[in-house]
């Protein structure tokens, strides 16, 4: 399940007619991981009708951007869970990694105000964190590889193992696990020496992440030869 974060807007909204921002002069005020849900809520100005709150999201850029121009906004149907007209509380989800401007536009006919508040939000890419532990066994004995995740899953794992010298693929498999640790049995007989095991792709409840070839997490499975049997000599007494 994706995590949810809340940002409570308590300060009075400032009256601004035109707002132009660029990432050059705006650092991220809110940082979340991709696939997390961000909840914004305005708790000030309780007298203003819910229908007078309009939210928008804009992609940040190095050049100044007019955040009152509807043509500049991202499609609200894609990123506001309940729409941009949900009132003083909205949830934002589904944004790709990057920096964004989140805008709240509020107007009030009674006090004749037309107000804007802006936030800079950064969405960080979520890359699965894991540790690999390969077995060291004698040839012919069963070998395993343990994968320990930082997280709870469930995970779908694609992996491969093969000759550490030539890189030939011996096997490609997928396995589904619920918890943070899985033990994968190596079913193919391996030769004496070190065989490399790589994780190719991991899929969780956020996304499927396929590692670039030169960045695949890996570990070695060490196979030792069987000890040579030696004759046993009994020392005769003097």
């Amino acid at each position: 399940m994706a995590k949810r974060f809340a940002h409570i807007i308590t300060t009075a909204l400032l009256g601004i007619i035109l707002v132009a921002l660029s990432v050059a002069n705006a650092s991220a005020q809110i940082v979340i991981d991709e696939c997390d849900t961000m909840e914004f809520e305005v708790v000030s100005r309780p007298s203003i009708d819910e229908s007078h709150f309009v939210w928008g999201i804009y992609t940040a850029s190095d050049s100044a951007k007019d955040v009152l121009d509807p043509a500049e906004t991202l499609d609200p149907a894609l990123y506001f869970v309940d729409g941009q007209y949900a009132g003083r509380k909205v949830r934002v989800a589904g944004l790709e990694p990057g920096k964004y401007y989140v805008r709240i536009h509020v107007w009030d006919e009674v006090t004749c105000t037309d107000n804007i508040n802006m936030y800079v939000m950064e969405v960080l890419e979520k890359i699965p964190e894991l540790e690999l532990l390969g077995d060291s066994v004698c040839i012919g004995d069963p070998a395993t590889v343990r994968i320990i995740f930082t997280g709870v899953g469930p995970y779908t794992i694609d992996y491969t193992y093969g000759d550490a010298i030539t890189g030939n693929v011996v096997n490609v498999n997928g396995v589904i696990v619920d918890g943070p640790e899985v033990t994968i049995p190596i079913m193919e007989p391996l030769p004496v020496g070190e065989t490399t095991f790589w994780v190719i792709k991991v899929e969780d409840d956020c996304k499927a992440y396929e590692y670039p070839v030169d960045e695949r997490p890996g570990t070695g499975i060490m196979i030792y030869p069987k000890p040579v049997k030696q004759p046993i000599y009994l020392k005769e007494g003097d």
Side-chain angles (χ1 to χ4, degrees):
M1 180 182 294
K3 294 178 289 186
R4 179 179 296 178
F5 298 85
H7 184 77
I8 307 299
I9 302 171
T10 58
T11 58
L13 297 170
L14 301 176
I16 302 175
I17 301 304
L18 179 64
V19 177
L21 288 178
S22 70
V23 293
N25 60 22
S27 59
Q29 299 161 293
I30 302 163
V31 179
I32 63 172
D33 291 331
E34 66 176 317
C35 301
D36 289 338
T37 299
M38 187 68 208
E39 185 177 275
F40 293 86
E41 181 180 7
V42 178
V43 297
S44 60
R45 311 292 291 276
S47 62
I48 298 179
D49 189 86
E50 290 276 340
S51 63
H52 290 187
F53 292 79
V54 181
W55 300 79
I57 297 179
Y58 302 78
T59 302
S61 65
D62 292 330
S63 58
K65 181 170 293 190
D66 179 4
V67 293
L68 287 182
D69 184 357
E72 297 280 353
T73 188
L74 298 177
D75 185 350
L78 297 178
Y79 306 111
F80 287 102
V81 177
D82 301 307
Q84 68 181 133
Y85 301 102
R88 61 182 63 245
K89 180 189 292 187
V90 295
R91 291 177 295 157
V92 176
L95 290 169
E96 295 292 326
K99 276 189 176 181
Y100 300 89
Y101 306 132
V102 180
R103 181 213 69 198
I104 170 62
H105 183 193
V106 184
W107 70 93
D108 184 6
E109 296 95 336
V110 177
T111 58
C112 197
T113 57
D114 192 0
N115 303 322
I116 292 291
N117 221 9
M118 290 296 309
Y119 294 89
V120 181
M121 181 169 69
E122 184 174 9
V123 180
L124 302 178
E125 183 179 17
K126 182 180 178 183
I127 299 176
E129 298 181 11
L130 55 89
E131 179 183 7
L132 295 171
L133 300 173
D135 253 348
S136 296
V137 297
C138 289
I139 190 167
D141 292 341
T144 63
V145 171
R146 291 171 60 207
I147 304 178
I148 304 172
F149 288 94
T150 302
V152 294
Y155 300 100
T156 301
I157 308 161
D158 288 356
Y159 62 89
T160 183
Y161 54 91
D163 189 323
I165 298 176
T166 65
N168 294 330
V169 173
V170 173
N171 198 8
V172 177
N173 290 292
V175 60
I176 300 175
V177 294
D178 291 327
E181 182 175 334
V182 59
T183 298
I184 297 177
I186 305 302
M187 307 306 295
E188 304 287 340
L190 300 179
V192 170
E194 185 177 51
T195 297
T196 304
F197 178 103
W198 297 277
V199 172
I200 300 174
K201 182 172 69 174
V202 174
E203 183 175 355
D204 58 15
D205 62 348
C206 174
K207 66 175 184 178
Y209 183 82
E210 186 165 353
Y211 294 93
V213 174
D214 58 350
E215 296 179 13
R216 289 175 179 172
T219 188
I221 306 166
M222 184 60 69
I223 306 298
Y224 295 102
K226 290 284 189 182
V228 177
K229 294 182 179 180
Q230 298 290 340
I232 300 175
Y233 298 96
L234 297 177
K235 184 178 180 182
E236 297 182 357
D238 295 334

